[in-house]
Amino acid sequence: MAWCFDLGVTKYFDSRGFAVTVQSLPISRPKNSMNTRRITLLLCTAETLGMAGFALFAALLPQFQALWGLSNTEAGWIGGGFFLGYMLAVPVLTGLTDRHDARLIYLWAMLLTAVASAGFVFADGFWSALLWRVLAGIGLAGTYMPGLKALSERIDGASQSRAIAFYTASFGLGTALSFTLSGELAKLGGWQVPALLSGACALLAWALVYWGLAPKPVVAHTPRNLLDLAPLKSRAVLAYCLAYAMHNLELFALRAWLVAFVVFSGHFQGVDPWLSGTWVAMLATLIGMPSSILGNELALRFGRQRWLIGVMFASALLAVVVGLGAALPFWVMLVLVLLYAVTVTADSASLTAGLVSVAPASHRGAAMALYSCTGFTGAFLGPLLFGMTLDALGDQQLLGWWAAFALMGLLLTLGPLALWWAGKAREGSARL
């Protein structure tokens, strides 16, 4: 029997050779699929725009150190201050999404992001710069995880994990945009220009979400405290939280100090690098997007725990080597940095998707608040510990940079150990 299809009509020829025509349903794209893509694109775009000021200080760190006479420890405080603000605010702001529509929290926080990003033009030293970066971190606390909550509440089924992967990968795209804007626009009109532009980008992100994302009523649940501690009872949630903290410690130490590392590499070898530090940072960050998305796909294929443990240990081993790249030819150092950027981000989306999968739906906002708080505690400590290590061993010595990167790798190993611990507990429960 032969078959052919033509514009909603199915034709086949029976055993006698006569053509028989059967009207079939027209092929159309499911409405839910189109809505899923629209919401994912909307929130990913808004996230990217809202992060335009994210890397302003890191991209111009050598310039700010010279301008304000900052030590490496002070620079680490300002670089980590962004995440300090995030860490202090995220338990409350993300926890509120279990009581109120995450969209509402997102909109107010994006307005704060716009003010804090543009307000950095008034910074004139350590304390004022730290203040504006803390406020910007509070803004991110009300947009990143609440945005993820808004996304996960509006998408169900198998599409949810992939939408989360794209959303978390957009964090890297926003960071890359920020490095590029800060580094290139500062050359044209000073560091105040990218600061003002990042505030305008945040306002555009606010407008996109305000007009593009419909409100969604919060599902009723039993009354609970604003700081809900129920997720602390889940060993799996705690393991993902610690793993995320170590992931962020490594990731944001790299992003905070990569531009300065490229500058040091040029000074150490007595050459002018053929690619500026901001461009290296932008490339390293952009690589993180496909790495994060592909990492989540591989986790779905081979098992999330197995993938996370393997890739995090691989990144820890590479961290011990990458700091020595400053003594190697520039192209070798660049390859090492980009390879390291792949391993650093290959676990990102899979960690977040894993947390969402193990958190009870009724306490998902609280679990995400705990996850984000512990995660960005690591993001705060990473740049600070990196800078303290450089001050202790010398930022003009290869030993100092090697030790700083190696310390990040050593601390990272706590993450896969926590995931292994949680996995062993689940295996024990399954046998009972």
Side-chain angles (χ1 to χ4, degrees):
M1 184 178 292
W3 293 78
C4 64
F5 300 90
D6 182 22
L7 298 177
V9 175
T10 303
K11 297 181 180 180
Y12 69 91
F13 297 92
D14 63 16
S15 58
R16 296 175 296 171
F18 292 105
V20 179
T21 302
V22 178
Q23 186 72 30
S24 61
L25 294 175
I27 299 174
S28 62
R29 191 184 305 273
K31 184 177 180 180
N32 287 345
S33 176
M34 295 179 65
N35 192 50
T36 293
R37 294 181 182 182
R38 186 191 68 80
I39 292 174
T40 302
L41 179 61
L42 172 71
L43 286 171
C44 287
T45 302
E47 179 191 359
T48 302
L49 289 170
M51 292 185 61
F54 176 83
L56 174 64
F57 184 77
L60 303 174
L61 192 152
Q63 179 180 333
F64 284 125
Q65 282 190 290
L67 180 65
W68 295 330
L70 301 173
S71 68
N72 291 309
T73 300
E74 289 175 325
W77 267 103
I78 297 174
F82 183 94
F83 306 108
L84 176 63
Y86 185 105
M87 176 184 68
L88 294 176
V90 75
V92 174
L93 295 180
T94 306
L96 281 172
T97 63
D98 281 336
R99 296 174 172 221
H100 306 281
D101 185 3
R103 173 183 177 273
L104 179 64
I105 311 300
Y106 187 100
L107 290 172
W108 280 107
M110 190 59 78
L111 287 178
L112 176 60
T113 298
V115 172
S117 298
F120 194 76
V121 298
F122 299 109
D124 59 1
F126 171 75
W127 288 108
S128 57
L130 178 62
L131 173 63
W132 286 110
R133 294 306 287 170
V134 168
L135 288 176
I138 295 173
L140 183 65
T143 55
Y144 182 50
M145 279 296 163
L148 178 60
K149 179 81 181 302
L151 180 68
S152 63
E153 285 178 334
R154 288 163 173 81
I155 298 176
D156 297 316
S159 300
Q160 187 185 76
S161 178
R162 289 186 173 88
I164 290 172
F166 277 99
Y167 182 85
T168 55
S170 295
F171 193 105
L173 179 60
T175 305
L177 171 68
S178 185
F179 272 113
T180 305
L181 288 178
S182 301
E184 297 306 310
L185 291 180
K187 297 176 183 177
L188 301 177
W191 59 267
Q192 293 88 349
V193 174
L196 291 172
L197 182 61
S198 63
C201 287
L203 288 178
L204 179 57
W206 180 92
L208 285 175
V209 174
Y210 182 81
W211 279 293
L213 190 68
K216 182 179 178 63
V218 179
V219 178
H221 52 68
T222 56
R224 62 177 69 125
N225 296 326
L226 181 58
L227 294 177
D228 191 349
L229 301 181
L232 292 174
K233 300 176 182 178
S234 170
R235 183 176 289 197
V237 168
L238 291 178
Y240 274 105
C241 288
L242 180 56
Y244 187 54
M246 296 303 101
H247 159 78
N248 277 355
L249 178 139
E250 179 190 40
L251 173 63
F252 291 107
L254 174 65
R255 288 178 176 172
W257 288 98
L258 182 53
V259 174
F261 177 65
V262 174
V263 172
F264 164 75
S265 179
H267 289 166
F268 186 80
Q269 299 192 37
V271 298
D272 187 18
W274 46 267
L275 197 62
S276 71
T278 53
W279 278 99
V280 173
M282 184 269 291
L283 288 174
T285 305
L286 282 180
I287 283 179
M289 282 193 64
S291 172
S292 179
I293 294 171
L294 180 60
N296 185 62
E297 294 297 320
L298 291 173
L300 292 173
R301 181 181 179 90
F302 298 110
R304 193 178 306 280
Q305 183 182 358
R306 181 185 303 173
W307 167 257
L308 288 172
I309 291 175
V311 77
M312 294 181 85
F313 272 127
S315 190
L317 290 174
L318 193 54
V320 179
V321 179
V322 71
L324 300 175
L328 302 174
F330 183 79
W331 71 269
V332 179
M333 184 272 289
L334 181 60
V335 170
L336 277 175
V337 165
L338 295 182
L339 181 60
Y340 184 49
V342 169
T343 62
V344 167
T345 53
D347 55 355
S348 181
S350 188
L351 281 169
T352 305
L355 182 279
V356 172
S357 69
V358 300
S362 60
H363 294 276
R364 187 168 291 162
M368 292 168 72
L370 177 64
Y371 176 78
S372 207
C373 182
T374 54
F376 281 82
T377 300
F380 161 65
L381 291 175
L384 178 58
L385 292 175
F386 202 105
M388 293 174 67
T389 304
L390 290 178
D391 274 341
L393 297 176
D395 62 353
Q396 297 304 314
Q397 299 180 28
L398 186 63
L399 175 63
W401 288 94
W402 171 82
F405 276 109
L407 177 61
M408 299 302 104
L410 177 63
L411 293 174
L412 177 66
T413 60
L414 295 176
L417 290 175
L419 293 171
W420 174 82
W421 166 72
K424 296 297 286 185
R426 284 197 299 271
E427 290 177 8
S429 299
R431 294 192 192 101
L432 297 178

